[in-house]
Amino acid sequence: MPDAPGLELIAHEINSRHEGAIVGTAFEHGQAVLLADPGLIRETLGFLRDEPAHAYRFLASVHGADYLPAAPRFAVHYELLNMPRVERLRVKALLADPGDDGLPELDSVVDLFPTADFQEREAHDFFGIVFRGHPDLRRILMPEDYVGWPQRRDFPIGGEPVIFTATEDTVPGWTR
Amino acid sequence: MEVERTKLRGLSPLDRPRSPAELRVRQLRARDMLRGDLEGADLDEYVESRVLTTTLERAQSWARGNSLFPATFGLACCAIEMMSMVSARYDTSRFGAEVFRASPRQADMLILSGRVSIKMAPVVRRIYDQMLEPKWVLSMGACSSSGGMFANYAVVQGADKFLPVDIHIPGCPPRPEALIYGILKLQRKVFGDPDLGWRERYRAGGTEEGRRPWKAGALPVERVGSAPAAGIVTGHGQPGAAQLDAPVGHPQLTGHEARDAYEEAEEDEPAAGPRPAVGWRDDA
Amino acid sequence: MNPTTRAPDYADTVRTPEELGRDAIGRTEAQVIGTSPIERTAIEREEELFTINMGPHHPATHGVLRLLVSLEGEVVRDLKPVMGYVHTGIEKSCEDKSYWKAIPFIERMDYLAYYSNMAAFCGAAETLLDLEIPPRAAWLRILHLELNRIHSHLVGLGTSALDLGAISMFWYCFRERDTILDLFEMSSGQRMHTRYFQVGGVAEDIPVGFARKVREFCALMPGRIAEYEALLDHNEIFLQRMKDVGIVPRERLLELGVTGPLLRAAGEPWDLRKVEHALPYADFEFDVPIGTVGDNWDRYRVRLAEMRESVRIIEQAVDGLPEGSWIADERHVVLPPRHELATSMEALIQHFKLVTEGFRVPPGEAYFPVEGPRGEYGVFLVADGSAKPARVHMRDPSFVNLQALREMCVGGYVADLIANLAMLDPILGGIDR
Ligand code: SF4
């Protein structure tokens, strides 16, 4: 892990190359997080990958997340890893919810990190995040005709109510 | 199976000869029998002690129950325990249920070993439809019996929503012993009543092969809205409202059916009007 | 068979969609149809692509995986995995459970590596709580993680050999697997899905006699591995289907995010046990086996060698198991010991609060990776300060590794696809979660 000052240096370096690409840093529990501007995510990740001083060449994972009450609602986390130095760095891009009239959009990084293919599809499947430029952005785990983004926080968990003796008269669909 | 057997003067062939002399008596009788020297009461006794009479159905179900071939079909974690059921320690071949068949056409028993997701449910139903009758279904583990711990948008809450289940085996995962116990229970069921009358129990008349009003494999599932609580899966393996109202056509023939399927299809008029709506429970 | 024709470089065999629609000399379909019938038949026989569907119910797909395979004759030209047939919504269900109730859900993701799943989740929660687990708990975790690795490789080896026609391997591997499950049952009461790890340590100390049983197992296992080798290593059928099949270069595997034995077989010595220090693997002496060629044979050998190394770790773990508590003494997270419930009112209240509500985790985000049998299991956990996680995401190695399947198979024979898939060793519960 880069330490806290190192993280600031990285942020500064990216910002000097791509104006406004990094909007903040966080260092908690020994884990370094760069808060990136979603519009410049490709530049940020490309810089971290290709710059010899950083060389985060391995993308371990892409997580989608939904912070519902918070204002930029969605986030995509890129878990970067530099194998020789064993340093992990998380890049987080916060995406606002466009509401009913659209889906949050972000540039795909599949050409930079081919491993992001399935993982971006997964984030798309569960959170409805559209990765612009993804070669094959379809649902991956849910049935292809499924409607809704099931892991958003405002999506109901679903399932069936459990019927106990006390509730068997009130549970819908069940009569004695 | 129960076979009435009375001991014939203490000389049942199942008894071990108690002495060399007795063995000698039996040998002599057998020789007489072969020569045709045995007659009268002696002959009756000899035949009765050796021949077992039963009905053909009973014999058939005895054979069926002792050679249940499961389909090679693993869904999730329970499948690993299903595999260890055939391993040397548990050894279901003692009960004739170890020959896993990769093709559903050759299998008698579908072990639903794991959670059935809404994406998998039509596939499971299709595999079930492809199996030849008589066929039985074991739902192994909490997930396929009731959805288990996964009461959420992705899992069908119990496989009996879309196919008839004969035995539910509790556990998460059930131990292989539990699965074997379930198979033994199924055997008892098969011995007792080869037909099992599941169509009556599940009110599934009209689902016989080649007679289904909907195409084989199409699960009558309607998805409504995006909220699973509102019921992504409706219907309980019964035709949904849309299917009931639609005019029921002939089963689609592919040319691979037996000859009589064609003939039946030519004779039968398409059923007029909706079929009687039958529910899984009496809630209508 | 000549190995050089069997495993061409993947770059030569990957075809773009435009190329797929053309024949050997670059004519499009329309142009081909314009040719004479005899010529056309000859071209079609050579060049026709035939797409078949494998699965989701196919005995050799190790679960409900579905593969759309485009074949040219017997050669795989393209392959698309379709998954989601056991998608269980575990990540969503976890958001509805308190942290310690979420552990059983997490376990059921990759159902052959339940200890790795648990270790990753508990590790993430402990990172957020800034909780240090006592040394005995850490060593017990390592002991069980390694037993789990052997167990997983045994099931993988048994079923893979079954797919390749070696049915007796299945019985032998499952015999040893049952020995391991007996150990799991002894320490936790369940064969699978033990829920043995929990936030702060492990659920229970190991029972009396466990160490002896583990030592017996350690004495037995290397001989058994040698038996497997004797059965398979000189088997001509097995060798033909393993050697020089499914080679993907190391650099490409890294680009695809592949981890675990698959990556190590290609020669990259990347093992989180050696580099991450969240679990005290540094106190153990073990080697990381790597391959040289990166074919299926190397993958098989790496797995066998890993089992041997795991036995070494387990031996060291039982021999040097530190004394002390098996769970952290943090009363706001950990249930009070049973005997205190009868004597102390505070303990009773604490117990009640923890069981009904669960403990709260301060807001934050953490990613915790663990080296499991198939690679990097990482849990990304978002806490919002309540007693339930706000987001749990599992980075499952099977899911990521599956992306390499296409490149392993394209250009090879369809029969090798089965071998490749078996050696990829995907667990569909982990892929679909
Ligand atoms: S019942 Fe348990 S073990 Fe079986 S599939 Fe469901 S979660 Fe897995």
Side-chain angles (χ1 to χ4, degrees):
Chain A
M1 312 272 163
D3 53 3
L7 186 65
E8 295 299 333
L9 286 180
I10 295 176
H12 186 75
E13 212 176 314
I14 300 176
N15 271 341
S16 64
R17 198 74 65 84
H18 305 285
E19 186 61 36
I22 301 296
V23 293
T25 59
F27 193 83
E28 47 180 37
H29 308 291
Q31 304 195 349
V33 186
L34 284 177
L35 199 57
D37 178 1
L40 292 172
I41 191 73
R42 286 179 56 84
E43 284 76 6
T44 307
L45 291 179
F47 177 86
L48 287 170
R49 187 186 77 139
D50 296 332
E51 190 70 19
H54 302 307
Y56 290 94
R57 310 203 117 260
F58 190 86
L59 179 66
S61 181
V62 178
H63 324 289
D66 179 4
Y67 301 89
L68 178 57
R73 180 175 161 188
F74 297 105
V76 179
H77 302 253
Y78 297 88
E79 207 71 52
L80 295 174
L81 170 67
N82 176 317
M83 278 189 171
R85 297 202 304 266
V86 200
E87 282 183 4
R88 286 182 189 271
L89 175 64
R90 186 154 64 239
V91 179
K92 171 176 174 180
L94 282 170
L95 302 170
D97 184 11
D100 286 340
D101 37 287
L103 293 171
E105 290 194 7
L106 188 65
D107 280 332
S108 163
V109 295
V110 174
D111 48 344
L112 296 177
F113 298 99
T115 173
D117 183 352
F118 279 9
Q119 313 201 26
E120 285 184 353
R121 275 177 73 186
E122 187 195 339
H124 168 72
D125 193 353
F126 290 149
F127 295 98
I129 297 166
V130 174
F131 290 89
R132 282 184 300 252
H134 189 286
D136 182 23
L137 196 65
R138 288 178 294 126
R139 284 190 179 273
I140 186 166
L141 295 184
M142 298 305 292
E144 289 201 2
D145 54 352
Y146 192 77
V147 182
W149 310 107
Q151 294 201 357
R152 289 190 177 185
R153 299 217 71 180
D154 52 1
F155 192 90
I157 286 200
E160 271 185 6
V162 183
I163 301 165
F164 295 103
T165 341
T167 56
E168 68 180 14
D169 290 333
T170 50
V171 171
W174 175 264
T175 48
R176 267 199 237 192
Chain B
M1 79 193 273
E2 323 91 59
V3 175
E4 290 280 318
R5 214 196 290 276
T6 33
K7 281 197 178 175
L8 298 166
R9 278 179 251 148
L11 249 185
S12 156
L14 297 179
D15 286 354
R16 255 206 238 131
R18 273 165 296 225
S19 64
E22 199 183 301
L23 179 67
R24 186 70 194 137
V25 170
R26 284 197 202 174
Q27 283 174 341
L28 290 174
R29 278 185 166 213
R31 196 194 63 195
D32 290 351
M33 167 72 193
L34 286 177
R35 284 189 183 156
D37 291 350
L38 216 58
E39 46 187 33
D42 279 348
L43 180 64
D44 285 352
E45 184 195 317
Y46 184 86
V47 171
E48 269 174 42
S49 66
R50 274 161 181 75
V51 174
L52 195 144
T53 54
T54 180
T55 60
L56 182 61
E57 264 131 49
R58 282 191 163 193
Q60 197 185 15
S61 54
W62 172 82
R64 264 185 196 147
N66 279 308
S67 64
L68 290 167
F69 288 8
T72 313
F73 178 62
L75 278 168
C77 349
C78 283
I80 309 287
E81 289 293 65
M82 181 179 77
M83 285 197 279
S84 56
M85 172 182 88
V86 276
S87 72
R89 185 190 285 195
Y90 300 104
D91 191 17
T92 38
S93 61
R94 291 175 294 162
F95 310 107
E98 87 287 15
V99 194
F100 277 83
R101 292 278 111 183
S103 156
R105 292 277 180 210
Q106 300 168 352
D108 304 316
M109 167 167 74
L110 184 65
I111 302 183
L112 288 171
S113 52
R115 48 227 184 202
V116 188
S117 68
I118 55 171
K119 195 170 178 178
M120 193 65 196
V123 184
V124 177
R125 175 70 206 213
R126 185 175 198 117
I127 290 170
Y128 175 77
D129 283 342
Q130 284 173 348
M131 284 166 60
L132 299 185
E133 296 198 20
K135 50 192 172 185
W136 295 278
V137 180
L138 255 90
S139 120
M140 175 184 184
C143 286
S144 55
S145 300
S146 67
M149 60 207 287
F150 305 112
N152 62 26
Y153 62 92
V155 177
V156 179
Q157 303 294 305
D160 48 7
K161 296 231 157 125
F162 59 91
L163 48 76
V165 176
D166 294 285
I167 303 276
H168 294 272
I169 303 168
C172 184
R175 301 175 61 96
E177 293 96 326
L179 180 57
I180 292 174
Y181 184 70
I183 291 175
L184 290 182
K185 284 278 176 203
L186 182 65
Q187 281 190 348
R188 296 206 70 86
K189 211 169 164 180
V190 176
F191 292 158
D193 179 7
D195 182 32
L196 295 175
W198 66 266
R199 288 214 167 78
E200 289 76 67
R201 248 185 307 122
Y202 285 90
R203 317 235 181 109
T207 58
E208 292 86 359
E209 290 234 342
R211 287 197 193 201
R212 273 179 292 270
W214 61 90
K215 254 174 53 191
L219 175 70
V221 163
E222 292 170 328
R223 291 220 179 81
V224 189
S226 62
I232 282 195
V233 176
T234 61
H236 305 291
Q238 299 298 335
Q243 279 119 329
L244 284 176
D245 293 342
V248 178
H250 279 306
Q252 294 202 349
L253 299 178
T254 56
H256 294 290
E257 285 85 359
R259 179 98 195 98
D260 52 2
Y262 283 104
E263 280 158 8
E264 257 175 34
E266 275 152 23
E267 282 162 23
D268 288 2
E269 281 299 301
R275 308 163 61 78
V278 284
W280 174 51
R281 291 174 178 141
D282 290 16
D283 49 1
Chain C
M1 246 170 260
N2 182 359
T4 51
T5 56
R6 291 184 45 144
D9 190 21
Y10 76 95
D12 297 338
T13 56
V14 175
R15 292 184 173 195
T16 61
E18 297 87 70
E19 283 169 353
L20 280 178
R22 289 168 182 266
D23 69 8
I25 51 174
R27 286 174 302 183
T28 62
E29 201 178 332
Q31 288 167 326
V32 173
I33 288 170
T35 53
S36 77
I38 297 173
E39 213 180 341
R40 194 160 68 227
T41 322
I43 291 168
E44 275 169 2
R45 199 175 290 146
E46 285 284 289
E47 289 294 316
E48 192 185 4
L49 280 189
F50 179 58
T51 301
I52 57 164
N53 176 48
M54 267 179 75
H57 164 230
H58 188 278
T61 51
H62 287 243
V64 283
L65 177 65
R66 179 171 162 212
L67 299 172
L68 292 174
V69 194
S70 298
L71 299 176
E72 182 186 325
E74 242 185 289
V75 180
V76 179
R77 287 299 175 208
D78 197 8
L79 179 145
K80 250 195 192 122
V82 181
M83 53 265 205
Y85 289 97
V86 278
H87 174 61
T88 319
I90 295 180
E91 288 163 359
K92 181 90 175 180
S93 278
C94 287
E95 293 170 17
D96 194 39
K97 304 279 173 217
S98 58
Y99 282 87
W100 66 288
K101 288 183 188 163
I103 300 175
F105 283 85
I106 292 282
E107 267 180 295
R108 282 156 176 78
M109 289 183 172
D110 185 333
Y111 41 78
L112 281 183
Y114 26 96
Y115 283 100
S116 309
N117 295 336
M118 276 190 279
F121 179 76
C122 295
E126 282 151 10
T127 311
L128 287 178
L129 286 161
D130 284 325
L131 192 71
E132 183 95 1
I133 62 170
R136 189 175 176 88
W139 281 56
L140 283 177
R141 280 192 185 179
I142 287 179
L143 174 67
H144 283 90
L145 279 171
E146 295 308 316
L147 280 172
N148 188 43
R149 184 183 319 275
I150 301 179
H151 157 224
S152 170
H153 284 347
L154 279 175
V155 175
L157 179 65
T159 50
S160 320
L162 188 65
D163 290 346
L164 302 181
I167 191 171
S168 42
M169 276 309 291
F170 176 81
W171 317 119
Y172 294 133
C173 290
F174 269 64
R175 179 184 61 187
E176 270 67 76
R177 169 182 181 264
D178 266 320
T179 332
I180 298 178
L181 290 190
D182 285 349
L183 293 173
F184 288 167
E185 202 177 350
M186 202 168 170
S187 66
S188 66
Q190 263 270 57
R191 282 158 59 89
M192 286 173 75
H193 305 322
T194 55
R195 200 200 171 275
Y196 185 60
F197 299 169
Q198 57 178 348
V199 180
V202 296
E204 193 61 76
D205 203 358
I206 49 173
V208 183
F210 183 76
R212 184 174 56 80
K213 283 243 179 195
V214 171
R215 286 209 185 86
E216 278 172 14
F217 170 75
C218 290
L220 172 103
M221 197 60 206
R224 293 286 161 88
I225 298 173
E227 279 179 20
Y228 307 152
E229 287 176 345
L231 271 170
L232 290 179
D233 277 12
H234 306 289
N235 183 321
E236 190 56 34
I237 302 170
F238 193 71
L239 288 174
Q240 285 239 345
R241 301 196 62 182
M242 288 280 138
K243 285 223 162 158
D244 298 314
V245 175
I247 301 178
V248 183
R250 188 181 76 169
E251 293 73 30
R252 184 65 187 160
L253 286 180
L254 285 172
E255 277 180 13
L256 289 170
V258 172
T259 46
L262 228 56
L263 180 61
R264 290 195 283 273
E268 174 79 30
W270 174 254
D271 191 329
L272 289 177
R273 293 178 290 174
K274 285 286 186 194
V275 295
E276 296 274 349
H277 299 297
L279 282 171
Y281 272 109
D283 300 345
F284 292 83
E285 199 180 300
F286 65 99
D287 298 327
V288 176
I290 60 168
T292 49
V293 185
D295 56 355
N296 281 342
W297 178 250
D298 276 353
R299 292 173 191 138
Y300 156 74
R301 295 300 313 180
V302 162
R303 291 210 171 91
L304 279 190
E306 261 181 28
M307 288 204 260
R308 285 220 168 84
E309 295 304 321
S310 293
V311 172
R312 269 175 79 192
I313 299 177
I314 295 166
E315 270 170 351
Q316 295 170 43
V318 274
D319 288 341
L321 194 62
E323 291 299 321
S325 172
W326 64 91
I327 192 146
D329 191 21
E330 296 277 345
R331 285 298 168 85
H332 64 286
V333 174
V334 168
L335 291 182
R338 191 83 210 161
H339 64 87
E340 275 188 28
L341 296 188
T343 53
S344 152
M345 193 65 202
E346 280 79 58
L348 196 61
I349 294 172
Q350 187 65 31
H351 190 280
F352 180 75
K353 286 285 280 179
L354 279 179
V355 170
T356 52
E357 192 198 318
F359 50 84
R360 288 166 186 265
V361 173
E365 299 166 1
Y367 176 74
F368 192 89
V370 169
E371 178 79 24
R374 267 164 284 281
E376 176 177 332
Y377 291 76
V379 163
F380 174 70
L381 190 62
V382 180
D384 56 0
S386 70
K388 294 175 180 172
R391 164 88 175 133
V392 182
H393 180 257
M394 172 63 103
R395 185 255 187 225
D396 192 277
S398 312
F399 181 68
V400 184
N401 292 358
L402 191 64
Q403 301 183 77
L405 182 65
R406 180 172 178 277
E407 317 220 331
M408 281 159 76
C409 296
V410 166
Y413 286 115
V414 67
D416 292 339
L417 188 157
I418 303 296
N420 290 336
L421 188 66
M423 281 296 126
L424 186 78
D425 196 15
I427 291 298
L428 267 291
I431 292 174
D432 295 346
R433 294 177 303 260

